[in-house]
């Protein structure tokens, strides 16, 4: 019996270790495949511009199929982290399926991109591409001071919490442009030395750095637009909330309704007054959440169908949250882990489902629930992504001072020190044997 007990414990420990390893593999594969999809989308844009839509149709179709199946992978990862307890067997099955889906996606993309690789490489070997990349880098460098001025202007209108997602963008943009300039110089020297493969790797790194710098610039411009939209949506949600409170006071009162009214009134009273810097994104999320809680409490007390106007406001709030989260994650892809990406993918999937149910009164209540759930997941994605960014900056740059730290070794995701925006770029440079030149 003692021998059997020891053997059983050993088998259990072995299975637990295997399950943990599978969970890590699933999460790592999810991040890698999602990043591969985004990188391939960039490649598709370049290839389409140079080779035409017909030549890139197979790659575009493959990407569409991969994105469709990856929704299942993100949904499975979300199920692994929801509030419902799971058995070890359920977790094991889901994680195995995630790994399977990611492997399939990588194989599809490998197959489709390999067909175009030679033609794309020949195009990129041309000196004109290198010079065009250099001109684009200088153009973006000239726009970065304007982005800094925009952020300084926005500091008078929005709180530090609201600006946290773009406050470091100009600094990161400058670093990306410097990286691009140096990589272009390496590409030129390697090409002159007859080492075309190394030159191509360096040029790829420069092109990706310029692309990311442009996204960082776009994020600054998009922030102001999205903030204005969030303020407008917030005004609508506040008006709806006050109307809901007035209606709720005339209906049958329950403890849940009374509590929900008090919480929503407190949130409305705590809103940033005009002329004071605030965070419209957080306030919109808070008021929308409490408004949803009041609606739910009223539904428990008295069943009713929400109006099309109410549901439309919830859908708009969901769209704003998803757009903000997507822009933020796209701007800092290298540091974003599986959890934030999963929340965003799930938010986008649920938002699509909500949009199909709004018009019909019989399904409008469900549409409202889905829209609110979508917005909540998008806000979670933003919060988790911000934590990932903060952790990456702390790990890779030695703290919030944002020093370059190029000699600090490898960061936590396998990239070199230097921050999340460079981690994804220089992997190819390492493989190409360029790291000594790029960081000499």
């Amino acid at each position: 019996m003692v021998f059997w007990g020891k053997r059983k414990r050993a088998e259990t420990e072995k299975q637990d270790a295997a399950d943990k390893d599978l969970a890590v593999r699933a999460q790592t594969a999810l991040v890698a495949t999602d990043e591969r999809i985004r990188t391939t989308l960039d490649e598709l844009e370049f290839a389409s511009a140079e080779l035409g839509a017909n030549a890139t149709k197979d790659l575009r179709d493959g990407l569409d199929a991969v994105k469709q199946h990856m929704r299942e992978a993100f949904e499975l990862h979300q199920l692994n982290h929801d509030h419902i307890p799971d058995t070890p067997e359920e977790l094991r099955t889901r994680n195995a399926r995630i790994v399977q889906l990611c492997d399939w996606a990588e194989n599809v993309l490998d197959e489709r991109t390999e067909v175009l690789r030679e033609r794309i490489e020949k195009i990129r070997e041309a000196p004109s591409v290198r010079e065009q990349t250099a001109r684009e880098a200088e153009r973006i460098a000239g726009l970065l001071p304007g982005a800094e001025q925009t952020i300084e202007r926005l500091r008078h209108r929005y709180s530090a919490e609201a600006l946290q997602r773009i406050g470091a963008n100009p600094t990161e943009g400058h670093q990306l442009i410097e990286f691009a300039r140096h990589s272009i110089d390496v590409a030129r020297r390697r090409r002159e030395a007859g080492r075309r493969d190394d030159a191509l790797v360096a040029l790829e790194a420069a092109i990706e750095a310029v692309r990311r710098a442009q996204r960082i610039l776009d994020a600054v411009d998009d922030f102001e637009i999205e903030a204005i939209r969030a303020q407008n949506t917030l005004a609508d949600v506040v008006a709806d909330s006050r109307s809901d409170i007035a209606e709720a006071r005339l209906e049958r009162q329950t403890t849940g309704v009374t509590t929900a009214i008090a919480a929503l009134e407190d949130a409305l009273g705590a809103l940033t007054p005009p002329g004071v810097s605030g965070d419209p994104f957080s306030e919109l999320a808070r008021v929308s959440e409490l408004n949803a809680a009041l609606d739910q409490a009223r539904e428990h007390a008295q069943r009713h169908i929400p109006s099309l106007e109410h549901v439309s406001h919830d859908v708009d709030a969901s769209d704003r949250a998803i757009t903000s989260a997507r822009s933020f994650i796209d701007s800092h892809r290298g540091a974003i882990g599986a959890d934030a990406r999963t929340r965003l993918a799930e938010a986008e999937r649920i938002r699509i489902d909500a949009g199909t149910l709004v018009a019909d009164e019989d399904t409008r209540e469900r549409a409202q629930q889905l829209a609110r759930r979508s917005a909540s997941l998008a806000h979670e994605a933003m919060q988790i992504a911000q934590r990932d960014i903060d952790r990456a900056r702390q790990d890779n740059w030695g703290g919030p001072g944002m020093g370059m730290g190029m000699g600090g070794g490898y960061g936590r995701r396998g990239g070199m020190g230097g921050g999340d925006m460079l981690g994804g770029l220089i992997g190819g440079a390492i493989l190409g044997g360029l790291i000594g030149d790029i960081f000499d």
Side-chain angles (χ1 to χ4, degrees):
M1 290 294 291
V2 170
F3 173 77
W4 181 86
K6 289 183 177 179
R7 181 179 179 182
K8 185 66 175 179
R9 285 195 298 273
E11 292 176 351
T12 301
E13 291 173 357
K14 183 178 180 180
Q15 184 62 61
D16 289 344
D19 288 344
K20 290 179 181 179
D21 179 67
L22 180 60
V24 172
R25 285 174 54 204
Q27 183 162 317
T28 302
L30 202 59
V31 172
T33 305
D34 186 62
E35 188 63 24
R36 175 73 185 280
I37 291 172
R38 296 170 189 271
T39 301
T40 305
L41 281 170
D42 293 338
E43 293 294 326
L44 178 60
E45 291 179 8
F46 176 85
S48 297
E50 297 295 331
L51 304 176
N54 290 334
T56 57
K57 183 179 183 301
D58 287 343
L59 178 56
R60 182 176 289 101
D61 292 343
L63 266 172
D64 290 341
V66 165
K67 288 191 287 186
Q68 178 72 23
H69 283 78
M70 284 303 294
R71 292 194 188 104
E72 178 187 348
F74 280 115
E75 185 175 358
L76 292 172
H77 187 73
Q78 177 66 30
L79 289 174
N80 284 347
H81 294 81
D82 62 16
H83 64 283
I84 301 175
D86 300 303
T87 65
E89 180 62 30
E90 288 173 332
L91 293 172
R92 191 179 308 126
T93 301
R94 289 185 196 134
N95 285 328
R97 177 61 175 165
I98 290 172
V99 172
Q100 181 187 39
L101 287 167
C102 291
D103 288 343
W104 173 84
E106 292 280 1
N107 290 336
V108 170
L109 295 180
D110 284 343
E111 177 185 343
R112 301 297 175 93
T113 55
E114 188 62 32
V115 176
L116 297 175
R117 189 179 307 281
E118 183 177 351
R119 296 175 67 183
I120 293 174
E121 287 181 354
K122 286 182 179 179
I123 293 172
R124 284 191 167 162
E125 284 180 355
S128 61
V129 176
R130 188 179 64 240
E131 298 306 320
Q132 180 182 353
T133 304
R135 289 194 299 271
E136 187 68 7
E138 297 309 314
R139 182 188 69 81
I140 294 174
L143 296 175
L144 287 171
E148 294 172 342
Q149 295 173 4
T150 298
I151 291 176
E152 287 303 315
R153 175 171 55 81
L154 292 174
R155 292 189 193 282
H156 299 291
R157 297 174 55 186
Y158 302 105
S159 66
E161 291 76 14
L163 288 171
Q164 187 177 20
R165 67 194 68 183
I166 62 165
N169 282 22
T171 300
E172 295 173 359
H174 282 297
Q175 292 166 352
L176 283 165
I177 293 302
E178 286 303 313
F179 180 86
R181 287 167 172 164
H182 204 35
S183 297
I184 290 169
D185 183 60
V186 171
R188 182 182 294 107
R189 287 190 278 116
R190 287 299 173 93
R191 182 178 175 84
E192 291 172 353
R195 300 172 63 176
R196 291 180 177 270
D197 289 341
D198 289 350
L200 181 61
V201 172
L203 183 56
E204 291 280 358
I207 291 171
E208 180 63 14
V210 169
R211 283 175 178 163
R212 295 196 182 185
Q214 182 62 59
R215 291 195 192 98
I216 281 176
L217 271 179
D218 293 341
V220 175
D221 293 334
D222 292 344
F223 174 87
E224 188 166 16
I225 296 172
E226 292 304 319
I228 292 173
R229 288 176 176 170
Q231 288 174 315
N232 292 336
T233 304
L234 177 61
D236 292 335
V237 173
V238 168
D240 284 342
S241 298
R242 298 192 190 283
S243 176
D244 289 346
I245 290 173
E247 293 174 3
R249 293 190 186 282
L250 301 177
E251 298 170 354
R252 185 169 66 88
Q253 297 294 299
T254 65
T255 302
V257 171
T258 303
T259 302
I261 288 175
L264 183 54
E265 286 183 327
D266 288 344
L268 293 176
L271 290 174
T272 303
V276 178
S277 300
D279 184 353
F281 302 102
S282 297
E283 291 181 345
L284 175 59
R286 178 64 175 162
V287 174
S288 296
E289 179 183 359
L290 293 176
N291 181 273
L294 175 58
D295 284 346
Q296 186 176 12
R298 293 173 66 193
E299 288 167 7
H300 282 299
Q302 179 179 339
R303 187 76 176 174
H304 75 283
I305 299 175
S307 68
L308 179 60
E309 183 180 7
H310 279 67
V311 180
S312 296
H313 288 324
D314 287 325
V315 171
D316 288 343
S318 173
D319 288 339
R320 299 285 78 74
I322 288 173
T323 300
S324 296
R326 185 191 302 117
S327 175
F328 185 62
I329 289 174
D330 283 346
S331 299
H332 302 81
R333 284 165 21 193
I336 307 301
D339 288 345
R341 297 167 187 258
T342 296
R343 297 298 194 283
L344 178 58
E346 183 71 0
E348 291 173 334
R349 183 187 69 81
I350 292 176
R351 167 62 183 86
I352 293 173
D353 293 341
T356 64
L357 304 175
V358 172
D360 191 341
E361 283 191 358
D362 293 336
T363 57
R364 190 174 297 159
E365 181 181 7
R366 177 60 177 162
Q368 187 177 50
Q369 293 171 352
L370 290 175
R372 289 170 174 174
R373 176 60 177 158
S374 174
S376 177
L377 286 169
H379 289 303
E380 287 182 26
M382 180 71 77
Q383 293 170 356
I384 295 171
Q386 184 64 60
R387 287 200 296 269
D388 288 344
I389 291 295
D390 293 341
R391 190 180 300 115
R393 288 170 179 162
Q394 182 70 28
D395 291 348
N396 293 338
W397 293 354
M402 299 180 66
M404 284 298 288
M406 290 298 182
Y410 289 90
R412 63 185 181 90
R413 284 186 175 82
M416 288 291 291
D420 61 293
M421 81 292 294
L422 296 183
L425 296 177
I426 64 178
I430 295 172
L431 295 177
L434 306 177
I435 202 64
D437 282 341
I438 291 180
F439 296 112
D440 54 10

